[in-house]
Amino acid sequence: MSNLDRQATPAVCGGRGFVVAEPVRELLSPRRVQLGESTEVRRLLPNLGRRMVGAWAFVDHYGPDDIADEPGMQVPPHPHMGLQTVSWLHEGEVLHRDSTGSLRTVRPRELGLMTSGRAISHSEESPRPHARLLHGAQLWVALPGAHRHVEPHFQHHAGLPRVTAPGLTATVILGELDGALSPGTTYSPLVGADLALTRGAETNLPLDPDFEYAVLSMSGEAHVDGVPVLPGSMLYLGCGRTSLPLRAESDAGLMLLGGEPFEEEIVMWWNFVGRSHEEIERARADWTTGTRFGEVKGYDGARLPAPELPPVALKPRGRVR
Ligand code: MN
């Protein structure tokens, strides 16, 4: 998915200065953002006062939306740089095309993982025909400096590893959870997991005390470390935890996001993650002139123009330790 916000503002993210070293319970409210004509998303990251969770730098939750009589998701070709995109669905399907020639339909609880590296462009659309409901999350992972110029590629994995406990089925999307490892390629220590809880479930999830974590609620009524987290909101949990208590009042769907605190400071604007304002400016110019980001073949429609860059240059601050 693209950041279709026409008032795209640059954000400086990352660095130890934002990380909470001990366990906290910080409830993050979503910002509602209109994506195209028919889709409204709830943006959890970046959030006021909370830009990243590990290398996770962007989290949108959308649906469930009834799109039976609508085109559904229609995101025209747009570029990415310096990040990975993770498409995660609970309902419906998304047809992905990109400039490396990928053409794949991603379905519920399958991993669509696109590594932009130095440059990629892609489109995402609800195929025709499509399921009645569309419900999912779109997430970005910032690539660390040593890997941010890797060759762009797309991975699609169905049948991801699962961890089960009474009342809980956890699907490992990225990284490792309780010994189960996702086949998706990662470039920094992190985890992403889908947590399906049944009504009445009470369980403890093993965590890595060196990671910072957050839990996004997708559906149902669940308590995370005693805090009720409603669908479309996210609880930031800080670091220093070895386990996480979960309780479900109804069947519930959560996403666990975590990772080693991201040490590098990044500049994020529109669909780009860079290290300087100049680098972002170059990427915007290259997309506008049709260089570097390749071509998405087969999409029926025009590509997405880049919004205007704000007049004030933004510099990442020095690393805080
Ligand atoms: Mn995108």
Side-chain angles (χ1 to χ4, degrees), residues 28 44-45 52-61 86 88 137-141 171 173-174 176-177 189-195 205 207-208 211-218 233-238 244 254-260:
L28 303 177
L44 284 315
L45 282 184
M52 294 179 83
V53 177
W56 298 96
F58 183 94
V59 176
D60 271 357
H61 173 236
V86 174
W88 192 250
Q138 170 76 15
L139 311 100
W140 298 354
V141 175
T171 306
I173 302 167
L174 271 186
E176 186 192 327
L177 182 72
L190 60 84
V191 68
D194 182 278
L195 311 174
L205 207 62
L207 298 186
D208 181 336
F211 279 17
E212 62 175 340
Y213 289 96
V215 170
L216 165 72
S217 171
M218 305 248 316
S233 56
M234 192 161 88
L235 187 70
Y236 176 73
L237 296 159
L244 182 64
L254 306 174
M255 279 183 89
L256 175 77
L257 305 175
E260 218 167 65

Side-chain angles (χ1 to χ4, degrees), residues 216-295:
L216 165 72
S217 171
M218 305 248 316
S219 62
E221 293 173 49
H223 290 215
V224 179
D225 195 17
V227 179
V229 185
L230 295 173
S233 56
M234 192 161 88
L235 187 70
Y236 176 73
L237 296 159
C239 303
R241 294 171 182 270
T242 53
S243 71
L244 182 64
L246 301 172
R247 189 158 57 85
E249 307 290 320
S250 70
D251 289 357
L254 306 174
M255 279 183 89
L256 175 77
L257 305 175
E260 218 167 65
F262 200 76
E263 296 275 359
E264 298 169 57
E265 292 210 324
I266 60 176
V267 178
M268 203 164 116
W269 179 80
W270 194 40
N271 296 307
F272 305 132
V273 169
R275 296 297 183 275
S276 68
H277 187 89
E278 294 68 32
E279 196 186 332
I280 299 286
E281 263 181 337
R282 258 194 323 275
R284 184 191 182 280
D286 285 349
W287 174 247
T288 302
T289 56
T291 48
R292 184 171 17 155
F293 292 96
E295 193 192 334

